[in-house]
Amino acid sequence: MLPATSESAAVANQLPNLQQHTPPPDNYGQIKPCSHLRSVLETKAYQTVLNTYQQAVAISIAINPLLSSHLVYQLKKDGLKVSHSRLDEFKAKALRCSLCDTSNFYLVFVCLQCPHVGCYKKHGMQHAKESGHMFAIDSHNGLLFCFSCGNYTNHSDLNRIRLSCVAACLGSPNGKTGITFGNGTENDTSFDVDSNIDGYTRPLGSAIQGLKGIVNMGSTCFMSCILQTMLHNPLVRYQFFNNDLHFFNCPSQPHYNGADEMIDENSACITCLIDSAFKDFYTTPTAEGYGLTNLLTTAWYKNRLLAGFQEQDAHEFWQFLLNEFHSDHERVAELADILLLPCRCIMHSIFLGELESSIACNSCGNVTKTVDPLVDLPLEINHLNENPSLYDCLDQFTHNELLDVNYRCSLCGKESKAHKSLRIKKLSPVLSIQLKRFKHNMLLDKASKIETKVDIPLFLNLTKYASDWDETTAPDAIDTNKVYELFAMVHHQGLVNTGHYVALVKNSSGQWFKFDDSVVSYASQEEVKSTNAYLLFYISHTI
Amino acid sequence: MSDLEAIKAQIQNHLVDSGNYDVISKQLKLKLYECGWFDQITQVATNELKSAGGNVNFDMLLKSLKPRAEELVPSEVKEEILQKIRAYLDDTIQ
Ligand SMILES: [Zn+2]
Ligand SMILES: [Zn+2]
Ligand SMILES: [Zn+2]
Ligand SMILES: [Zn+2]
Ligand SMILES: [Zn+2]
Ligand SMILES: [Zn+2]
């Protein structure tokens, strides 16, 4: 954990919960209209189609399991909130197959041309054939299905309706939800990547995914692996691609963008450096590895490097980056005269959660709770059973432990035994976990490494480690907002001081890649599962 | 509608209305995510689309993926969820 002041705890309290306001993104806008849809929309029926679509899509969003947890429904009459159970009742009734009277587990087709509702497997298709009603809205995703094509179809006008329905349900005032609908496809028809634009060089195919190695400059792998986890973190990437505040206000920009001006004590800026790394990774027309010269120079001025990173620990370097992101943001916000609270830097908006510790007095039972900022979870891997999994580590981290010193209770005033336990109070959009493999023996001044293999789930259910977990009434319930997806892992191989770091990163279609300095290669799921992890990066993934 | 179908429909509606469907489907989904099934299927689908070069519609893709997707579900996951459904049925039907 980073040393953080109580001030930053206060900041974290005011932060909007990014998770709650970030429904899963979709790329349905890229689905093109089929010939049938195009010809219908050219007729007088255009407005009717749009109106019907809007009604049906509103229902489909109401039942979408991915979105439902983000939604708040209000009764038109009095503006009271509608509970989720009432909503479930309503949707089960509204979406029943007209022919077999089942809700088919919410998987139904809502006809675009008449009030018919048909189950997926059978009656949806049957209705289309018998009545010639070719289009229906899929209740699961809100997309239009064309039975003549046997395919989903979409149109920019329909997509706009769908997105504004989602936005309206999520209660964002201007219909924009930031991260969600990143790739604007509204005017996508006019844009052609292959056309010749002056000064535009087409990026390499792999560059679109940011697949690029980093040249090793002598034991620099502890930096490279962390850099890869940042460059392939979707939320960090989003921030950098939309980082006008820093770009237009940081005086160091010319030092990182022209390369003519030297980086010195006063101009060294980690944010500018990472910004240029993003540009290089995602737009480069060459496959050449990324050079670390500027990073080394910048980090040296910032940290008197090599003095600061004696252990060459990847985790330490990760903490260093986060701290720099925050202080760069502070500096630039001040220059731009922008309000700093709540802090929107990468550390605060993406990585910072809250940890709650409870101390229960054994003589009167009084529980005292304190909340601390949580930048990452440091998990012990000692004293576990055989073949431990990450869940065992988390169990150990949160388990109710007897304090070995006596505790002075503020309620009963007695000095007595007490139990302490830790729970996550607020989960950040990205959860970073450190398995504590490195131990430093103070007496011998020697470091050692624990090689215990820990089983790493590809998706992590954190429901029971949260402070709002209801142990007595719903111990098995899964809070779908507390499920996290592993998207990056750092592995350390070899001995403490001479070892080597490698990063494993997953792309959006589920393919893993291995970044070993300048070499990038495919990795299988099995390879990831069998890798001995040191650092883990999980991203919120509502299921 | 046949008697069997009517009973099936009744059970299904009870399962959904009682909220048990949401609970069980959530557990199943989590298991499938945890074991990497979702990523596997995403990749199979992506590869299929690539190799078909645009000459495949949704119906065809679903038809070819469905049996493979069902096969790839680990047997422990299948058994665990079936157990839950059985327990639910035992509770509701006398
Ligand atoms: Zn039906
Ligand atoms: Zn119809
Ligand atoms: Zn069509
Ligand atoms: Zn800067
Ligand atoms: Zn900050
Ligand atoms: Zn007490």
Side-chain angles (χ1 to χ4, degrees):
Chain A
M1 267 176 283
L2 280 182
T5 57
S6 55
E7 199 182 324
S8 57
V11 171
N13 273 329
Q14 296 158 19
L15 256 196
N17 191 339
L18 198 65
Q19 242 184 303
Q20 295 298 325
H21 295 286
T22 314
D26 70 53
N27 52 6
Y28 298 158
Q30 279 158 14
I31 301 173
K32 297 270 167 284
C34 69
S35 58
H36 311 104
L37 179 63
R38 217 178 281 132
S39 61
V40 167
L41 290 177
E42 274 163 14
T43 66
K44 277 183 292 183
Y46 175 83
Q47 201 50 51
T48 323
V49 169
L50 258 57
N51 292 345
T52 322
Y53 182 74
Q54 179 152 23
Q55 285 171 15
V57 91
I59 300 173
S60 93
I61 285 162
I63 63 155
N64 188 327
L66 290 175
L67 293 173
S68 64
S69 48
H70 301 278
L71 305 180
V72 176
Y73 284 92
Q74 297 184 337
L75 289 174
K76 279 209 178 111
K77 279 191 305 224
D78 49 11
L80 284 176
K81 283 183 183 175
V82 180
S83 75
H84 277 287
S85 62
R86 274 288 309 280
L87 194 65
D88 286 341
E89 222 173 277
F90 158 77
K91 69 195 194 191
K93 289 218 174 75
L95 289 166
R96 255 178 208 184
C97 175
S98 311
L99 289 168
C100 62
D101 197 36
T102 65
S103 59
N104 195 40
F105 307 116
Y106 310 138
L107 297 177
V108 288
F109 282 118
V110 182
C111 183
L112 188 68
Q113 283 151 279
C114 77
H116 188 271
V117 174
C119 58
Y120 250 44
K121 265 194 200 145
K122 237 169 125 185
H123 298 123
M125 166 76 106
Q126 190 180 317
H127 172 74
K129 266 191 193 145
E130 286 170 5
S131 63
H133 295 167
M134 209 183 287
F135 303 106
I137 291 109
D138 182 327
S139 64
H140 186 65
N141 52 26
L143 279 178
L144 204 59
F145 192 82
C146 172
F147 285 99
S148 297
C149 294
N151 226 349
Y152 288 98
T153 181
N154 205 352
H155 184 275
S156 52
D157 291 349
L158 297 179
N159 205 50
R160 208 169 297 135
I161 290 175
R162 194 176 57 82
L163 293 185
S164 64
C165 276
V166 175
C169 283
L170 292 170
S172 54
N174 52 4
K176 274 199 182 135
T177 42
I179 296 165
T180 321
F181 310 113
N183 39 7
T185 44
E186 250 74 353
N187 41 16
D188 52 355
T189 39
S190 58
F191 187 70
D192 179 5
V193 206
D194 287 315
S195 60
N196 283 320
I197 303 168
D198 274 346
Y200 176 78
T201 333
R202 216 182 158 196
L204 208 66
S206 57
I208 295 163
Q209 293 203 57
L211 297 176
K212 197 189 212 344
I214 300 175
V215 180
N216 191 326
M217 300 184 66
S219 324
T220 49
C221 56
F222 75 102
M223 299 175 164
S224 305
C225 66
I226 291 300
L227 216 48
Q228 296 287 10
T229 70
M230 287 288 179
L231 290 161
H232 294 94
N233 180 325
L235 296 177
V236 172
R237 185 169 61 219
Y238 178 83
Q239 284 243 13
F240 270 98
F241 285 176
N242 297 276
N243 198 6
D244 288 357
L245 174 67
H246 196 90
F247 193 83
F248 289 116
N249 293 292
C250 180
S252 304
Q253 270 295 324
H255 298 267
Y256 288 88
N257 265 324
D260 294 343
E261 295 181 58
M262 293 285 283
I263 297 159
D264 57 28
E265 175 110 42
N266 299 315
S267 60
C269 172
I270 285 288
T271 303
C272 281
L273 175 101
I274 304 289
D275 191 77
S276 72
F278 265 106
K279 210 167 294 157
D280 203 49
F281 270 69
Y282 286 89
T283 59
T284 181
T286 81
E288 231 171 272
Y290 178 75
L292 280 177
T293 324
N294 279 355
L295 173 64
L296 290 174
T297 318
T298 307
W300 189 81
Y301 283 117
K302 286 291 172 191
N303 207 29
R304 297 295 159 202
L305 182 77
L306 310 178
F309 296 116
Q310 247 165 17
E311 307 253 317
Q312 305 195 327
D313 179 4
H315 181 250
E316 210 178 298
F317 181 68
W318 177 79
Q319 291 183 320
F320 163 75
L321 284 188
L322 289 197
N323 280 326
E324 287 301 314
F325 288 151
H326 174 71
S327 59
D328 286 344
H329 182 81
E330 232 175 4
R331 170 173 55 83
V332 168
E334 204 168 299
L335 285 175
D337 212 7
I338 277 177
L339 203 66
L340 198 63
L341 293 173
C343 184
R344 301 201 187 282
C345 80
I346 283 169
M347 169 165 88
H348 279 99
S349 61
I350 297 175
F351 291 97
L352 199 74
E354 286 172 7
L355 188 69
E356 181 184 271
S357 72
S358 313
I359 297 182
C361 165
N362 276 16
S363 37
C364 76
N366 176 47
V367 179
T368 311
K369 290 180 175 172
T370 44
V371 175
D372 288 303
L374 171 76
V375 182
D376 63 348
L377 280 176
L379 300 181
E380 294 288 348
I381 52 176
N382 265 337
H383 319 298
L384 292 166
N385 53 349
E386 246 178 89
N387 309 318
S389 84
L390 191 60
Y391 287 114
D392 295 316
C393 303
L394 284 162
D395 286 343
Q396 184 174 260
F397 182 76
T398 53
H399 104 284
N400 209 10
E401 121 190 72
L402 181 68
L403 294 180
D404 31 340
V405 286
N406 277 351
Y407 167 78
R408 160 86 66 184
C409 175
S410 61
L411 193 71
C412 67
K414 279 186 201 137
E415 202 168 286
S416 64
K417 295 266 175 226
H419 278 88
K420 180 186 169 180
S421 74
L422 297 170
R423 287 282 181 283
I424 301 169
K425 169 109 174 143
K426 195 189 127 218
L427 277 161
S428 45
V430 173
L431 176 72
S432 152
I433 295 176
Q434 179 199 20
L435 297 177
K436 297 177 81 176
R437 296 198 174 278
F438 300 107
K439 292 276 159 198
H440 199 92
N441 187 319
M442 297 293 180
L443 287 174
L444 302 170
D445 192 29
K446 248 182 111 177
S448 60
K449 188 182 168 195
I450 307 165
E451 287 285 2
T452 309
K453 170 92 182 77
V454 178
D455 182 62
I456 304 300
L458 299 170
F459 283 77
L460 187 63
N461 173 19
L462 291 162
T463 307
K464 67 180 256 215
Y465 306 108
S467 55
D468 61 1
W469 181 50
D470 187 354
E471 189 171 1
T472 39
T473 57
D476 294 328
I478 298 164
D479 184 341
T480 50
N481 280 319
K482 297 201 174 77
V483 176
Y484 277 68
E485 174 183 9
L486 182 70
F487 75 95
M489 174 196 275
V490 167
H491 158 66
H492 180 269
Q493 64 195 45
L495 302 169
V496 185
N497 291 315
T498 57
H500 179 55
Y501 283 106
V502 177
L504 288 155
V505 175
K506 187 167 94 174
N507 76 359
S508 58
S509 62
Q511 174 65 53
W512 283 90
F513 292 95
K514 183 169 165 183
F515 294 90
D516 185 345
D517 285 330
S518 56
V519 182
V520 185
S521 55
Y522 284 106
S524 67
Q525 225 176 53
E526 292 71 42
E527 190 178 344
V528 174
K529 285 289 284 182
S530 64
T531 298
N532 227 353
Y534 171 45
L535 304 176
L536 300 162
F537 298 93
Y538 281 94
I539 189 162
S540 166
H541 182 119
T542 309
I543 64 163
Chain B
M1 213 176 343
S2 76
D3 282 356
L4 182 67
E5 268 176 64
I7 291 172
K8 264 193 194 165
Q10 223 185 330
I11 293 175
Q12 199 197 100
N13 287 338
H14 184 272
L15 186 61
V16 171
D17 295 348
S18 64
N20 275 297
Y21 169 71
D22 275 344
V23 173
I24 296 175
S25 78
K26 256 187 219 171
Q27 285 166 337
L28 171 61
K29 226 172 164 185
L30 179 67
K31 286 267 175 281
L32 291 176
Y33 269 115
E34 276 179 335
C35 71
W37 182 87
F38 268 92
D39 286 340
Q40 279 177 341
I41 302 306
T42 308
Q43 275 182 267
V44 175
T46 311
N47 292 338
E48 190 109 334
L49 282 174
K50 256 188 220 148
S51 64
N55 297 319
V56 63
N57 68 21
F58 178 80
D59 280 344
M60 286 149 72
L61 187 64
L62 182 67
K63 207 171 259 169
S64 89
L65 280 188
K66 212 175 163 224
R68 256 188 293 170
E70 284 172 358
E71 214 172 279
L72 282 170
V73 176
S75 51
E76 315 89 73
V77 175
K78 232 182 250 179
E79 195 40 52
E80 199 185 320
I81 297 300
L82 279 174
Q83 204 71 46
K84 292 206 159 96
I85 297 173
R86 252 180 242 126
Y88 158 78
L89 286 176
D90 288 344
D91 264 3
T92 36
I93 301 166
Q94 286 88 26

